[in-house]
Amino acid sequence: MTLTEENYIKAIYQLGKYGTLNVSTNSIAEALDTKASSVTDMIKKLDEKGYANYKKYQGVILSVEGKKIAANIVRKHRLWEVFLVEKLNFAWDEVHDIAEQLEHIKSEKLINELDKLLDYPTHDPHGDPIPDKLGDIKKTDKILLFNLEENTSGVCVGVKDTSSAFLRYLDKHNIALGSEITVLSKEDFDDSMVIKIQDSVMSISQVVANNLFVKQLSQKN
Amino acid sequence: MTLTEENYIKAIYQLGKYGTLNVSTNSIAEALDTKASSVTDMIKKLDEKGYANYKKYQGVILSVEGKKIAANIVRKHRLWEVFLVEKLNFAWDEVHDIAEQLEHIKSEKLINELDKLLDYPTHDPHGDPIPDKLGDIKKTDKILLFNLEENTSGVCVGVKDTSSAFLRYLDKHNIALGSEITVLSKEDFDDSMVIKIQDSVMSISQVVANNLFVKQLSQKN
DNA sequence: ATATATTTTTAGATTAGTCTAAAAATATAT
DNA sequence: ATATATTTTTAGACTAATCTAAAAATATAT
Ligand SMILES: [Mn+2]
Ligand SMILES: [Mn+2]
Ligand SMILES: [Mn+2]
Ligand SMILES: [Mn+2]
């Protein structure tokens, strides 16, 4: 398994919702910043090697074997992200690129010991679940803040956009994983909303609301 | 800088005593388990890029730039080895291959934070010195146990052979970095010696004595 | 000094991954 | 249904790194 193959497998896994959906050639090309023709070559190879199922013009989906490999790469990526934040004082917007490198390090023992050192975390710094050793992922019932009704509350549990720009916006406005958010009002005109977050009130745009995951809290009495 | 270029630069650095000596094509080929013809191609390229000075048939030596790069790779390698032993419960014979992978991870901040987490270690688990940020290395006056005179003592400070086989031999016989060793007698016939180590007495072969570095202790009174 | 052995380089081929440009298939719009 | 647009594949070329086999240079031994 080459580094390049791993990157393709991971992209197919992520684009296809943890390996459950077919993925198009172009979407892979965009995700990996490469050309569609390169993707065609690679998905043919992944099919031949048994990591994926590919039918011409029909896109590609991972095999059971491929899904296992992908989940393990994602597991490593997310554990390393936790390590960087928890042990090496990185901010949550600084870890992704380094984790992209670290996820390819090959050592079963290394990742198991890292898991132990970090006390078996279940989620990465962006709220994404960490697959277990078998590749299984704990599903959470998170929804986009955008879909939270007026006068209901939720706890911030993840981000959809993981760009530095967005993460620093959240930092600046004291929005962090674990913050409790209440939707005070929604503005039909531009889909912005006014929220209460940790006792302060602010207005957020539709863009922000659509990139923040919350876990809904049971209705107020 | 590709991963392959880094491996060549490191090999030239190590084979040429931290970049001070000319290195032959064949010795690089042997170290990297590749063919001499491949080495010729690569050292030409390293010369062109300014990382080394190469004259046909005369071997190669690193440039100042090349030495800096090499020292940084070695620094990363050895810091990761300390991390694996100190934080992830690896034995000293298990860390080298993983460090070979980790040494190529690119992030200045990562390595600085790792250094801090480990409390700025000066030596790796095998007793080898860790270059500082500038690539400078603290020289120690270690000698091979083989060269220690009868009735003198030394503290074990490093190993020359870092193979699992040798390291586990040392573990088995309770020889570790920091152990105090006294040479009780030397056998001319096979160059073996009898030593006292931590109050127990044992005989070691010439092979062992030639792969163990000690720091000589001031003569007994 | 000359022959022999060893080391190093060159020449040419191979593989993984990539690209551009053109052709083929599929999707969309009227 | 047909034309048009988009997506995907194919064909052929390129680069980095590698190899084998042969040629050239250097080192060693008598
Ligand atoms: Mn990430
Ligand atoms: Mn993440
Ligand atoms: Mn090592
Ligand atoms: Mn070491």
Side-chain angles (χ1 to χ4, degrees):
Chain A
M1 177 76 26
T2 68
L3 186 140
T4 309
E5 285 171 346
E6 288 192 349
N7 281 334
Y8 273 92
I9 286 180
K10 189 179 62 147
I12 297 167
Y13 181 75
Q14 312 251 45
L15 292 168
K17 310 262 154 168
Y18 297 109
T20 56
L21 270 60
N22 246 64
V23 177
S24 77
T25 301
N26 263 0
S27 65
I28 299 170
E30 198 191 1
L32 296 180
D33 195 25
T34 185
K35 301 293 170 181
S37 54
S38 304
V39 174
T40 302
D41 284 347
M42 180 57 83
I43 59 187
K44 271 183 192 167
K45 188 165 70 165
L46 294 178
D47 180 284
E48 275 159 26
K49 289 193 173 186
Y51 302 134
N53 293 98
Y54 163 63
K55 285 262 181 284
K56 263 190 200 176
Y57 294 100
Q58 302 311 128
V60 68
I61 188 167
L62 292 180
S63 67
V64 171
E65 171 77 350
K67 250 181 289 199
K68 242 175 116 173
I69 292 168
N72 194 242
I73 299 168
V74 170
R75 171 172 162 77
K76 289 192 279 181
H77 181 107
R78 292 178 179 169
L79 281 173
W80 279 116
E81 284 189 343
V82 174
F83 171 72
L84 293 171
V85 167
E86 295 295 319
K87 301 294 179 182
L88 296 192
N89 310 303
F90 277 77
W92 65 340
D93 68 300
E94 301 175 308
V95 298
H96 182 77
D97 291 348
I98 303 173
E100 285 289 309
Q101 300 177 60
L102 287 163
E103 71 190 6
H104 300 290
I105 302 294
K106 281 160 191 58
S107 166
E108 186 106 0
K109 177 166 182 177
L110 170 59
I111 208 64
N112 288 339
E113 288 290 338
L114 194 63
D115 196 21
K116 190 205 286 182
L117 177 73
L118 300 171
D119 203 18
Y120 311 103
T122 58
H123 294 79
D124 82 1
H126 313 105
D128 292 313
I130 297 173
D132 67 19
K133 284 181 208 186
L134 302 169
D136 293 329
I137 287 173
K138 211 182 287 176
K139 272 252 165 74
T140 51
D141 48 351
K142 63 187 180 189
I143 58 172
L144 287 172
L145 174 55
F146 186 79
N147 297 319
L148 205 59
E149 302 293 322
E150 273 186 11
N151 295 313
T152 62
S153 300
V155 175
C156 180
V157 294
V159 291
K160 191 164 149 196
D161 176 3
T162 58
S163 72
S164 255
F166 182 54
L167 298 177
R168 282 203 294 248
Y169 166 91
L170 296 177
D171 285 342
K172 189 163 91 182
H173 295 92
N174 291 306
I175 303 173
L177 299 197
S179 301
E180 187 172 331
I181 294 172
T182 304
V183 179
L184 300 178
S185 67
K186 290 181 163 186
E187 180 59 68
D188 275 347
F189 169 61
D190 63 356
D191 284 323
S192 69
M193 49 170 66
V194 176
I195 62 172
K196 182 164 72 101
I197 168 134
Q198 319 274 76
D199 294 326
S200 72
V201 172
M202 69 180 288
S203 169
I204 61 172
S205 70
Q206 169 266 328
V207 179
V208 171
N210 264 316
N211 280 297
L212 207 50
F213 288 116
V214 295
K215 179 170 177 175
Q216 186 153 15
L217 290 172
S218 48
Q219 221 69 21
K220 279 186 188 163
N221 315 329
Chain B
M1 177 75 26
T2 67
L3 186 141
T4 309
E5 286 171 347
E6 289 191 349
N7 281 334
Y8 274 92
I9 286 180
K10 190 179 62 146
I12 297 168
Y13 182 73
Q14 312 251 45
L15 291 168
K17 310 263 153 163
Y18 296 108
T20 57
L21 269 60
N22 246 64
V23 177
S24 77
T25 302
N26 264 1
S27 65
I28 299 169
E30 196 191 3
L32 296 180
D33 196 23
T34 186
K35 300 294 169 179
S37 54
S38 305
V39 174
T40 301
D41 284 348
M42 180 57 82
I43 59 186
K44 271 183 194 170
K45 188 165 69 164
L46 294 178
D47 180 284
E48 274 159 27
K49 290 193 172 186
Y51 303 132
N53 293 98
Y54 163 63
K55 287 261 182 284
K56 264 191 202 176
Y57 295 100
Q58 302 312 128
V60 68
I61 188 167
L62 292 180
S63 68
V64 171
E65 171 77 351
K67 250 181 289 199
K68 240 173 118 171
I69 293 169
N72 195 242
I73 300 168
V74 169
R75 170 172 164 78
K76 290 192 278 182
H77 181 106
R78 293 179 179 168
L79 281 172
W80 279 116
E81 284 189 345
V82 174
F83 171 72
L84 293 172
V85 167
E86 295 296 318
K87 301 293 179 182
L88 296 191
N89 308 305
F90 278 77
W92 66 340
D93 68 302
E94 301 175 307
V95 298
H96 182 77
D97 291 347
I98 303 174
E100 286 288 308
Q101 300 177 60
L102 287 163
E103 72 190 6
H104 300 290
I105 302 295
K106 280 159 192 56
S107 166
E108 186 106 359
K109 178 166 182 177
L110 171 58
I111 208 64
N112 288 339
E113 289 291 337
L114 193 64
D115 196 21
K116 191 205 286 183
L117 177 74
L118 301 171
D119 204 19
Y120 310 105
T122 58
H123 293 79
D124 83 1
H126 314 104
D128 293 313
I130 298 174
D132 66 20
K133 284 180 208 186
L134 301 170
D136 294 328
I137 286 174
K138 208 181 288 175
K139 274 252 163 76
T140 51
D141 48 350
K142 64 189 179 186
I143 59 171
L144 288 172
L145 174 55
F146 185 79
N147 297 318
L148 206 60
E149 302 294 322
E150 271 186 14
N151 295 313
T152 61
S153 300
V155 175
C156 181
V157 293
V159 291
K160 191 165 151 195
D161 176 3
T162 58
S163 71
S164 256
F166 182 54
L167 298 177
R168 282 203 295 250
Y169 165 90
L170 296 177
D171 285 343
K172 190 164 91 181
H173 294 93
N174 292 307
I175 304 173
L177 299 196
S179 300
E180 186 172 331
I181 293 172
T182 304
V183 178
L184 300 180
S185 67
K186 289 181 163 187
E187 179 59 68
D188 275 347
F189 169 61
D190 63 356
D191 284 323
S192 69
M193 48 171 68
V194 176
I195 61 173
K196 183 162 71 98
I197 168 136
Q198 318 275 73
D199 294 326
S200 73
V201 172
M202 68 180 287
S203 169
I204 62 173
S205 69
Q206 169 266 329
V207 179
V208 171
N210 264 317
N211 280 296
L212 207 50
F213 288 115
V214 295
K215 179 169 176 177
Q216 186 152 16
L217 291 173
S218 50
Q219 221 68 20
K220 280 185 186 163
N221 314 330

